[in-house]
Amino acid sequence: MEAATEFPNKEAFRQAVVNTLERRLFYIPSFKIYRGVAGLYDYGPPGCAVKSNVLAFWRQHFVLEENMLEVDCPCVTPEVVLKASGHVDKFTDLMVKDEKTGTCYRADHLLKDFCKDKLEKDTNLAAEKIAELKHILAVLDDLSPEELGAKIKEYGITAPDTKNPLSAPYPFNLMFQTSIGPSGLSPGYMRPETAQGIFVNFKDLYYYNGNKLPFAAAQIGQAFRNEVSNPSRITIWLFAFQDGHVWLLMSVEVVVFLLLLISVFEVTFTLSRKKEYGLNMKGKLQISPRQGLLRVREFTLAEIEHFVDPDDKSHPKFSEVAKLEFLMFPREDQVSGKSARRIAIGEAVSQGIVNNATLGFFIGRVYLFLTHLGIDKERLRFRQHLANEMAHYAADCWDAEIECSYGWIECVGIADRSAYDLRAHTKLVIAPVKKELGLAFKGNQKMVVEALEAMEEKEAMEMKATLESKGEAEFRVCTLGKDVIIKKNMVTISKETKKEHQRVFTPSVIEPSFGIGRIIYCLYEHSFYTRASKDGDEQLNVFRFPPLVAPIKCTVFPLVQNQKYEEVAKRIAKSLTAAGISCKIDITGTSIGKRYARTDELGVPLAITVDSTSSVTIRERDSKQQIRVSIEEVASVVKEVTDGLSTWGDVLWKYPTHSS
Amino acid sequence: MEAATEFPNKEAFRQAVVNTLERRLFYIPSFKIYRGVAGLYDYGPPGCAVKSNVLAFWRQHFVLEENMLEVDCPCVTPEVVLKASGHVDKFTDLMVKDEKTGTCYRADHLLKDFCKDKLEKDTNLAAEKIAELKHILAVLDDLSPEELGAKIKEYGITAPDTKNPLSAPYPFNLMFQTSIGPSGLSPGYMRPETAQGIFVNFKDLYYYNGNKLPFAAAQIGQAFRNEVSNPSRITIWLFAFQDGHVWLLMSVEVVVFLLLLISVFEVTFTLSRKKEYGLNMKGKLQISPRQGLLRVREFTLAEIEHFVDPDDKSHPKFSEVAKLEFLMFPREDQVSGKSARRIAIGEAVSQGIVNNATLGFFIGRVYLFLTHLGIDKERLRFRQHLANEMAHYAADCWDAEIECSYGWIECVGIADRSAYDLRAHTKLVIAPVKKELGLAFKGNQKMVVEALEAMEEKEAMEMKATLESKGEAEFRVCTLGKDVIIKKNMVTISKETKKEHQRVFTPSVIEPSFGIGRIIYCLYEHSFYTRASKDGDEQLNVFRFPPLVAPIKCTVFPLVQNQKYEEVAKRIAKSLTAAGISCKIDITGTSIGKRYARTDELGVPLAITVDSTSSVTIRERDSKQQIRVSIEEVASVVKEVTDGLSTWGDVLWKYPTHSS
């Protein structure tokens, strides 16, 4: 396989990849005829085929091989579910508003930009100040709204576009909100993850599995996050006083077109014409260098929830992956400034670097999944979460990170989430003991019972703790207008749990969660290379997709325009289609070299050229080697290679090579 | 194949099917631990597998075989797109509100129920009145909001639950609304169909196809409709004055549980406790007999948009389907009270019953698709839309209707939508001719130009028409505070169109649109039957899914619990999984008959019983016939049958039969 041609820098390489992807319609910015919506992309025909191949392989590799229970739940989710899961209260970014224009910014981004800028550009900073700014950058994620607001005030940070003062930080929920039904009284959200659909079905799935642990459920589907894009901006102002010509020369369309051509930047354009001053025009161009195709508002998630006994996290198939060795980046190594290193997953588990064998098993399976797709082993690492990145309830968490031109990107999260998720959806059971309450409160019993039953979860769990530690608790009964003393024997408070062999527990959840779009984007970068054309005048683009991933498995073209050859080509295409192999006929009169180049740019692994009515040539994309095969055999040879039963090397041995 | 056991009526049959589907987790009412949300269902493990099989076959049958361009666009859609398509203004139901409680009802449903009720129960109606009520029922869909309101008033129709007066009818948009980004200034909707994502990408897809027509694009994805459920209701009131016991005996949970057990009805429960009167309780139980699994708020659509030259709607592959004969129900036959009849699609096109060959081709392909899945030919018909069902722009429209216990259900719509959709997203181009305007308006030219450019589409198209018919038009210029006369040579107004061989036109769209959930539900009813158990004391449920659709292709069980047999079973399961065949091991000690029954109820076509360490039996679900096959061959035999390369009949010839 040829090495990728050198590019001057990462950005130039990314540009080449993204240009090819957009030109060949792997991606299309959504609704672009209406100027698009930031953070929404369509998959065009080849992109859609790649996605569908990746998902089919995910199903085979995880659901089928591991006998998982796949479910498919709606995206519209009632508020009560996401309230219980914590998303309504905590799935937020802290925002500040430009107090005059109302433009919103992420508070942490503004503070981060300020600190970085200061550290880079201000050479006169005192050592003390440098330490302070560095400290802020380190603890940025842990700052409370008040602390963030205080720092923004202290440093005099203003709105980047207008220099106007900013509001105090306030939480903005990242979920898309909607309303279910015509009354407007049932709030709902578009799910921010697919996992909750599995958790709320836990009982049914547990029953379906014969009331046995462990088992895994899986779901593939859309998730939605109303991301705030708030990067540093480039602002261009166009003025045209009393004269339409500047405006016409420098039309929006031209500017936008040029910028799109040279960048993947998101472009928004606002134009205000102050008619009262005649043709006084003002154009404002904002370029937001988002992480392009990586940070989107709607995306496909594939999630697994593996439910396991918290006291036994072994895995029967762990030995199958234990010897796999790959780049791991444990917490301690990150803290002590070391680099990622190759560790066998079996070692990592036995040394306690990875918390348990089930977690280790999934790390191994994820490694196999990604490398089979064509992700480069050397640019894939498993990074353990630092203590401050992890939720307080999590036992351990590793991200599969893939290196691309944007740096190391989190593509799969593999977390041992302990019992948190199931507990969140577990029913609170408050059982007042009527007899004891009757003895204690006589005629007031009913009011006390009602008040006890009406407790919210937080209050109830506090009472439970107090009763357990002190034996009694003070309790306000509003309908009586006074406090009463509740004793331990007057009420039982509990959350439902599983009973298995008389042992009562809530299962732990181990959750591998795959960002399918991110994996696919990284795959594009890892598969892309350029090589000189035959005459050497141009660089041609190639995607070296494995057949598993390739959007089209095979192209068929007659060497020259000729009815006989065209008929043979159509017959071959028909037999390929019948065998379930996606193929494309190209009967244009373009030179064979150009047609090869076109098909290489889509990552098509094999090309069949019809140059006789009895046999044809098959050319492999990366080696450009060709073999000659009879027309009767061609479909089965192609199927063997694209189904992965034989490699190109294998078939090279069997058939005569052809030199063009 | 055995005939389905007779059920006393449709409802009892439906009950048996739905009970089986819910018990075996084909469906789960979404978020049921939170009492569920009407119109949202999860696909549990077997349902999810069936859906994924149906979609995979759809891709093979349409996208791959017809070389369609598949795309994948987001669900979140900005308002401007759905404004252009007409959904923001017209995708509505007319509602009325209970003026006291605010409960919403569909106005047409209330009027319909009133008329039907009156006709059924009032035996003293005058012939004139009968005719009037029947007329209303016939024209119900065509009534304006004012006409509906007037009738509701005239007949004194009140809110069904409370008898309170009703508001005037008002339109309720069926789209789920949301907001894109943090500003709250960008309204968006969850798409009500997937088609718009294709239309807005038309130009790019046309280019991808080498600027050639015809071509088809396809999309599979979620669609959302905030349906109003407004059926007749059963209301139960529970009172418990000064006494908690009635309430405790007849708790909400019990009522809801019993009702769920005996029905698929949607249950909502509202409870108000008036504390001021002590334990005065009031329970209200509403049972809404929706069309259960057919009318849902979120569903999977698979849509094809075939773009074609409006002057040439022939199809190169029409001859491949022309001889297919099936039940068709042309408009004329419906109007004249005839029944559906068998017509060859070739005949239907040549006689002009079906508008054109491309439409006919898709009708034929849809027929093949549905019958391959297992839809009964005799309960499938293609019904042509009546004139008043069809949009004014449509050239012709046929629904594939499948008969199930709910009657004939529209599952696929196949419409020739003419040029409507592309025109809706076509840019309005207003080009003022500066020279002429300068001559006519001198110093005021700029104001006139600005005002012309600022015209909305409707105003511009009206001006275009006036200019074409009269040569000039009056035009108000606000900034001048007066009307001016615009002449034909002062401005050109147009909508963008395709140019091909110098001919200018907008392509027509032929749209087959598949409601995947409805097809799957009908498939369940058509596949379900019961048969007596061996000892004759119970009726066993079976789904006769073809292997293509079956959620699991094969089960493997050791005849008795025994380590040797279990190892063989595991080895066979592993080889099946590696071959991509979904299988399930059952090593419980349950009797072999019970295990067959369990697997039949999931529609698993083949069951392997391990009764020796050298050979096993394979049993076919419907015939219950068994063959004996060596362990080495078993995976390949199963694969042959489940991949559709051999029928069960074929393999029966090859292997010795086994009688248990």
Side-chain angles (χ1 to χ4, degrees):
Chain A
M1 205 170 283
E2 293 170 53
T5 316
E6 291 294 317
F7 284 88
N9 56 44
K10 278 183 187 177
E11 287 67 31
F13 172 75
R14 183 196 307 151
Q15 220 44 73
V17 179
V18 171
N19 284 350
T20 309
L21 292 173
E22 295 208 354
R23 190 161 38 75
R24 300 310 300 269
L25 297 195
F26 282 84
Y27 294 108
I28 308 168
S30 297
F31 316 114
K32 76 175 185 190
I33 63 167
Y34 291 103
R35 310 229 159 167
V37 175
L40 293 179
Y41 286 88
D42 298 344
Y43 289 88
C48 190
V50 167
K51 183 181 168 190
S52 138
N53 292 337
V54 168
L55 292 178
F57 179 58
W58 194 88
R59 278 211 171 88
Q60 167 73 25
H61 187 79
F62 291 105
V63 179
L64 205 63
E65 293 265 0
E66 307 296 332
N67 252 299
M68 294 175 180
L69 307 180
E70 190 179 347
V71 301
D72 182 11
C73 310
C75 301
V76 175
T77 307
E79 184 170 57
V80 61
V81 174
L82 295 162
K83 186 90 189 165
S85 69
H87 285 89
V88 172
D89 297 323
K90 290 178 190 158
F91 196 61
T92 53
D93 274 346
L94 288 171
M95 307 284 297
V96 287
K97 239 184 199 165
D98 180 322
E99 287 197 337
K100 290 190 182 155
T101 67
T103 307
C104 304
Y105 302 90
R106 267 184 65 170
D108 58 339
H109 283 184
L110 292 188
L111 184 57
K112 187 175 167 188
D113 290 348
F114 174 85
C115 295
K116 279 194 166 172
D117 218 51
K118 203 83 183 158
L119 286 167
E120 269 174 34
K121 293 185 187 157
D122 192 340
T123 48
N124 299 324
L125 280 180
E128 211 171 74
K129 194 77 189 169
I130 291 178
E132 181 188 319
L133 294 174
K134 282 191 172 167
H135 175 72
I136 290 175
L137 288 174
V139 299
L140 198 64
D141 289 347
D142 299 330
L143 294 182
S144 70
E146 293 72 28
E147 290 167 325
L148 260 175
K151 283 289 160 201
I152 287 174
K153 220 170 204 171
E154 183 188 334
Y155 296 151
I157 299 173
T158 54
D161 291 331
T162 60
K163 306 299 165 205
N164 289 333
L166 294 166
S167 73
Y170 62 95
F172 169 71
N173 196 297
L174 293 179
M175 293 191 291
F176 283 96
Q177 193 172 6
T178 191
S179 180
I180 304 172
S183 69
L185 300 175
S186 306
Y189 298 91
M190 302 312 297
R191 62 180 176 194
E193 57 176 35
T194 64
Q196 299 307 322
I198 296 177
F199 296 137
V200 298
N201 282 325
F202 172 76
K203 259 194 188 173
D204 277 337
L205 295 170
Y206 181 62
Y207 166 79
Y208 188 82
N209 200 51
N211 289 331
K212 280 199 195 89
L213 286 179
F215 75 93
Q219 181 167 203
I220 297 172
Q222 294 303 90
F224 303 81
R225 296 185 188 174
N226 206 354
E227 295 280 356
V228 180
S229 83
N230 200 211
S232 38
R233 285 156 189 245
I234 302 167
T235 306
I236 298 174
W237 303 80
L238 302 177
F239 292 93
F241 293 97
Q242 306 294 344
D243 182 1
H245 287 293
V246 174
W247 162 244
L248 290 169
L249 284 173
M250 195 64 179
S251 88
V252 188
E253 294 294 333
V254 173
V255 178
V256 171
F257 177 75
L258 286 174
L259 281 162
L260 277 177
L261 209 70
I262 56 160
S263 75
V264 276
F265 291 170
E266 169 207 4
V267 177
T268 51
F269 195 94
T270 55
L271 173 74
S272 66
R273 299 190 197 181
K274 293 190 182 158
K275 285 187 188 171
E276 56 269 46
Y277 302 110
L279 261 182
N280 176 356
M281 281 194 233
K282 196 167 79 176
K284 187 176 144 199
L285 186 60
Q286 299 178 321
I287 306 177
S288 318
R290 307 165 70 84
Q291 275 187 309
L293 296 155
L294 292 178
R295 187 160 294 281
V296 290
R297 287 184 164 141
E298 180 176 340
F299 49 97
T300 301
L301 275 184
E303 296 192 296
I304 295 166
E305 310 299 330
H306 182 91
F307 299 101
V308 62
D309 182 338
D311 292 340
D312 178 12
K313 295 184 180 174
S314 64
H315 196 287
K317 288 163 84 180
F318 182 63
S319 62
E320 290 178 20
V321 300
K323 290 209 177 101
L324 290 174
E325 213 182 273
F326 40 76
L327 285 175
M328 298 194 77
F329 202 7
R331 191 178 300 142
E332 281 66 36
D333 292 7
Q334 295 169 54
V335 172
S336 59
K338 291 184 194 153
S339 311
R341 57 195 162 103
R342 301 182 71 83
I343 312 178
I345 186 68
E347 283 299 300
V349 170
S350 65
Q351 288 174 20
I353 298 172
V354 168
N355 184 284
N356 59 72
T358 297
L359 195 60
F361 174 73
F362 280 111
I363 291 175
R365 292 292 293 169
V366 168
Y367 170 80
L368 291 174
F369 173 74
L370 293 173
T371 50
H372 262 77
L373 287 181
I375 293 294
D376 180 358
K377 288 180 179 51
E378 304 305 321
R379 290 195 281 165
L380 166 62
R381 72 180 183 196
F382 289 84
R383 188 182 72 78
Q384 191 171 28
H385 275 203
L386 296 174
N388 71 343
E389 289 177 273
M390 225 162 49
H392 65 93
Y393 49 77
D396 194 5
C397 188
W398 292 77
D399 284 343
E401 294 185 333
I402 305 177
E403 195 186 21
C404 72
S405 65
Y406 291 105
W408 287 96
I409 299 299
E410 171 202 344
C411 290
V412 187
I414 310 151
D416 182 334
R417 296 173 56 84
S418 169
Y420 176 78
D421 304 285
L422 288 182
R423 285 226 178 99
H425 292 294
T426 303
K427 251 201 203 133
L428 176 70
V429 180
I430 300 173
V433 181
K434 297 256 166 71
K435 204 183 117 195
E436 299 294 334
L437 289 163
L439 286 171
F441 301 110
K442 313 241 159 55
N444 291 336
Q445 179 203 343
K446 273 181 295 210
M447 275 76 142
V448 178
V449 167
E450 277 199 320
L452 284 171
E453 286 177 339
M455 280 190 292
E456 293 270 324
E457 176 156 344
K458 202 175 154 237
E459 194 187 0
M461 295 317 280
E462 278 167 13
M463 176 182 281
K464 181 184 168 73
T466 312
L467 290 178
E468 273 163 19
S469 59
K470 301 192 185 157
E472 59 176 51
E474 274 204 352
F475 180 56
R476 179 88 189 159
V477 180
C478 297
T479 44
L480 293 177
K482 63 172 182 183
D483 286 357
V484 299
I485 299 291
I486 300 292
K487 298 220 168 109
K488 209 178 165 179
N489 61 353
M490 293 179 185
V491 62
T492 54
I493 296 167
S494 61
K495 301 257 288 179
E496 278 180 1
T497 45
K498 289 303 108 211
K499 231 183 215 170
E500 199 176 77
H501 307 302
Q502 301 312 310
R503 203 160 62 78
V504 170
F505 63 93
T506 305
S508 280
V509 173
I510 293 178
E511 176 189 85
S513 171
F514 298 70
I516 297 298
R518 290 183 164 201
I519 294 171
I520 292 174
Y521 177 77
C522 292
L523 184 59
Y524 290 148
E525 282 206 7
H526 287 200
S527 304
F528 185 81
Y529 66 98
T530 61
R531 59 185 173 196
S533 63
K534 214 172 180 182
D535 53 20
D537 333 346
E538 52 175 336
Q539 285 293 310
L540 301 175
N541 305 314
V542 188
F543 283 108
R544 65 163 83 79
F545 299 133
L548 180 72
V549 167
I552 297 166
K553 309 300 179 198
C554 183
T555 38
V556 187
F557 21 65
L559 184 62
V560 291
Q561 279 186 313
N562 158 326
Q563 212 194 328
K564 265 190 204 162
Y565 289 180
E566 278 181 23
E567 268 162 27
V568 172
K570 280 183 188 162
R571 223 167 66 216
I572 292 173
K574 209 172 168 180
S575 64
L576 289 169
T577 302
I581 299 164
S582 64
C583 65
K584 199 179 174 171
I585 295 196
D586 183 348
I587 51 169
T588 55
T590 321
S591 78
I592 195 77
K594 283 234 170 91
R595 282 186 281 173
Y596 281 145
R598 262 189 215 159
T599 190
D600 292 344
E601 205 175 48
L602 283 176
V604 181
L606 301 174
I608 297 168
T609 303
V610 179
D611 56 0
S612 98
T613 53
S614 58
S615 74
V616 296
T617 67
I618 305 180
R619 167 195 182 260
E620 196 270 338
R621 175 193 60 211
D622 299 303
S623 65
K624 297 194 258 179
Q625 286 169 322
Q626 296 182 43
I627 55 171
R628 181 158 290 282
V629 178
S630 75
I631 286 170
E632 289 66 37
E633 283 174 295
V634 65
S636 69
V637 173
V638 170
K639 193 172 168 63
E640 245 184 88
V641 174
T642 56
D643 279 5
L645 304 173
S646 298
T647 64
W648 178 251
D650 296 337
V651 299
L652 262 187
W653 277 98
K654 276 194 250 171
Y655 297 91
T657 56
H658 171 90
S659 50
S660 53
Chain B
M1 204 171 283
E2 293 171 52
T5 316
E6 291 293 317
F7 283 89
N9 56 44
K10 280 181 186 178
E11 286 68 30
F13 172 75
R14 183 195 307 151
Q15 220 45 70
V17 178
V18 170
N19 284 350
T20 310
L21 292 173
E22 295 209 353
R23 191 161 37 75
R24 299 310 300 268
L25 297 195
F26 281 84
Y27 293 108
I28 308 167
S30 296
F31 316 113
K32 77 174 185 191
I33 63 168
Y34 290 104
R35 309 226 161 171
V37 174
L40 294 180
Y41 286 88
D42 297 344
Y43 289 89
C48 190
V50 167
K51 182 181 168 191
S52 138
N53 293 336
V54 168
L55 292 179
F57 180 57
W58 194 88
R59 278 211 172 88
Q60 168 73 26
H61 187 79
F62 292 106
V63 179
L64 205 63
E65 294 266 0
E66 307 297 333
N67 251 300
M68 292 175 182
L69 306 181
E70 189 180 347
V71 299
D72 182 11
C73 309
C75 302
V76 174
T77 306
E79 184 170 57
V80 60
V81 173
L82 295 161
K83 185 90 190 165
S85 68
H87 286 90
V88 171
D89 296 323
K90 290 178 190 155
F91 196 60
T92 54
D93 274 347
L94 288 171
M95 307 284 297
V96 287
K97 239 185 198 161
D98 181 320
E99 288 196 336
K100 289 191 184 154
T101 67
T103 306
C104 304
Y105 302 90
R106 267 184 65 170
D108 57 339
H109 284 185
L110 293 188
L111 184 57
K112 187 175 167 187
D113 290 348
F114 174 86
C115 295
K116 278 195 166 172
D117 217 52
K118 202 83 184 161
L119 284 168
E120 268 174 33
K121 294 185 188 157
D122 191 341
T123 47
N124 299 324
L125 280 180
E128 211 170 76
K129 194 76 187 167
I130 292 177
E132 181 189 318
L133 294 173
K134 282 191 171 167
H135 175 72
I136 290 175
L137 288 174
V139 299
L140 200 63
D141 289 346
D142 299 330
L143 293 182
S144 70
E146 293 71 30
E147 289 167 328
L148 261 173
K151 282 289 160 201
I152 286 174
K153 219 168 205 172
E154 183 187 333
Y155 295 152
I157 300 173
T158 54
D161 291 333
T162 59
K163 306 298 164 207
N164 289 332
L166 293 166
S167 73
Y170 62 95
F172 169 71
N173 196 298
L174 293 178
M175 293 190 292
F176 283 97
Q177 192 171 6
T178 190
S179 180
I180 304 172
S183 69
L185 300 174
S186 306
Y189 298 91
M190 303 311 298
R191 62 179 177 197
E193 58 177 33
T194 63
Q196 298 307 322
I198 297 176
F199 296 137
V200 298
N201 282 325
F202 172 76
K203 259 194 189 172
D204 277 337
L205 295 169
Y206 181 62
Y207 166 78
Y208 189 82
N209 200 51
N211 290 329
K212 280 199 195 90
L213 286 178
F215 74 92
Q219 183 166 200
I220 298 173
Q222 294 302 90
F224 304 82
R225 296 185 187 173
N226 207 354
E227 295 279 358
V228 181
S229 82
N230 201 214
S232 37
R233 284 155 190 245
I234 303 167
T235 307
I236 299 174
W237 302 80
L238 303 177
F239 292 92
F241 294 97
Q242 306 296 343
D243 181 0
H245 287 294
V246 174
W247 162 243
L248 289 170
L249 283 174
M250 194 63 176
S251 88
V252 188
E253 294 295 332
V254 173
V255 177
V256 171
F257 177 76
L258 286 174
L259 281 161
L260 277 177
L261 210 71
I262 56 160
S263 75
V264 275
F265 290 171
E266 170 206 2
V267 177
T268 53
F269 195 94
T270 55
L271 173 74
S272 66
R273 300 192 197 178
K274 293 190 184 160
K275 286 188 187 169
E276 57 269 47
Y277 301 113
L279 260 182
N280 174 355
M281 283 195 236
K282 196 166 82 175
K284 187 175 144 197
L285 185 60
Q286 299 177 323
I287 307 176
S288 317
R290 309 164 70 84
Q291 274 188 309
L293 297 155
L294 292 179
R295 188 160 294 280
V296 290
R297 288 185 163 141
E298 179 176 340
F299 49 97
T300 301
L301 274 184
E303 296 193 297
I304 295 166
E305 310 298 330
H306 182 91
F307 299 100
V308 62
D309 183 337
D311 292 340
D312 177 13
K313 294 183 179 173
S314 64
H315 195 287
K317 287 163 84 179
F318 183 63
S319 61
E320 290 179 19
V321 301
K323 290 209 176 102
L324 290 174
E325 214 181 273
F326 41 77
L327 286 175
M328 298 192 78
F329 202 7
R331 191 178 299 141
E332 281 65 36
D333 292 8
Q334 296 169 53
V335 173
S336 60
K338 292 185 192 151
S339 309
R341 58 193 160 103
R342 300 181 72 81
I343 312 178
I345 187 67
E347 283 299 301
V349 170
S350 64
Q351 287 174 21
I353 297 173
V354 168
N355 184 283
N356 59 71
T358 297
L359 196 61
F361 174 73
F362 280 110
I363 292 175
R365 292 292 294 169
V366 168
Y367 171 81
L368 290 174
F369 173 73
L370 294 173
T371 50
H372 262 78
L373 287 181
I375 294 294
D376 181 357
K377 289 179 180 49
E378 303 305 320
R379 291 194 281 164
L380 166 62
R381 72 180 183 194
F382 290 83
R383 188 182 72 79
Q384 191 172 29
H385 276 203
L386 297 173
N388 71 343
E389 288 177 272
M390 223 160 52
H392 64 93
Y393 49 77
D396 194 5
C397 187
W398 292 77
D399 283 342
E401 294 185 332
I402 305 177
E403 195 187 21
C404 72
S405 65
Y406 290 106
W408 287 96
I409 299 298
E410 172 202 344
C411 291
V412 186
I414 310 152
D416 182 335
R417 296 173 56 83
S418 169
Y420 175 79
D421 304 285
L422 288 182
R423 284 224 179 101
H425 293 295
T426 303
K427 251 201 201 131
L428 176 70
V429 181
I430 299 172
V433 181
K434 296 254 167 71
K435 205 183 116 195
E436 298 294 336
L437 290 164
L439 286 172
F441 301 110
K442 312 237 160 56
N444 291 337
Q445 179 203 344
K446 274 182 295 208
M447 276 74 142
V448 178
V449 168
E450 277 200 320
L452 283 171
E453 285 177 340
M455 280 190 293
E456 293 270 325
E457 176 155 343
K458 202 175 154 235
E459 193 188 358
M461 296 318 279
E462 278 166 15
M463 177 182 280
K464 182 184 167 74
T466 312
L467 291 179
E468 274 164 17
S469 60
K470 301 191 184 157
E472 60 177 50
E474 274 204 353
F475 180 55
R476 178 89 189 158
V477 180
C478 297
T479 44
L480 293 176
K482 64 173 182 182
D483 286 359
V484 298
I485 300 291
I486 300 293
K487 298 218 168 110
K488 210 178 165 179
N489 61 352
M490 293 178 185
V491 63
T492 56
I493 297 166
S494 61
K495 303 258 286 179
E496 280 181 359
T497 45
K498 291 301 109 210
K499 231 183 215 171
E500 200 176 77
H501 308 301
Q502 301 312 311
R503 203 161 61 81
V504 171
F505 63 92
T506 305
S508 279
V509 174
I510 291 177
E511 177 188 86
S513 171
F514 299 70
I516 297 297
R518 289 183 164 199
I519 293 171
I520 291 175
Y521 178 76
C522 291
L523 184 60
Y524 289 147
E525 282 206 6
H526 287 201
S527 304
F528 185 80
Y529 65 99
T530 61
R531 58 185 175 198
S533 63
K534 215 172 178 179
D535 52 18
D537 13 342
E538 54 177 335
Q539 284 293 310
L540 302 174
N541 306 314
V542 188
F543 283 109
R544 65 162 83 78
F545 299 131
L548 179 72
V549 167
I552 295 166
K553 309 299 179 199
C554 182
T555 38
V556 188
F557 19 67
L559 184 63
V560 290
Q561 280 186 311
N562 159 326
Q563 213 195 326
K564 266 191 206 162
Y565 289 180
E566 279 182 22
E567 268 161 28
V568 172
K570 280 183 189 163
R571 223 167 66 216
I572 292 173
K574 208 172 169 181
S575 64
L576 289 169
T577 302
I581 298 165
S582 63
C583 64
K584 199 179 173 171
I585 294 196
D586 183 348
I587 52 170
T588 56
T590 322
S591 80
I592 195 77
K594 283 234 169 90
R595 283 185 281 173
Y596 281 145
R598 262 190 214 160
T599 191
D600 292 345
E601 205 175 47
L602 284 176
V604 181
L606 300 174
I608 297 169
T609 303
V610 180
D611 56 359
S612 98
T613 53
S614 59
S615 72
V616 296
T617 67
I618 305 180
R619 167 196 181 260
E620 197 272 336
R621 175 194 60 211
D622 299 302
S623 64
K624 297 194 257 180
Q625 287 168 320
Q626 296 182 43
I627 55 171
R628 181 159 287 283
V629 178
S630 77
I631 286 169
E632 288 67 37
E633 282 174 296
V634 66
S636 69
V637 174
V638 170
K639 193 172 168 62
E640 244 183 271
V641 175
T642 56
D643 279 5
L645 303 173
S646 298
T647 63
W648 178 252
D650 296 336
V651 299
L652 261 185
W653 276 98
K654 277 194 248 169
Y655 297 91
T657 56
H658 171 91
S659 50
S660 53

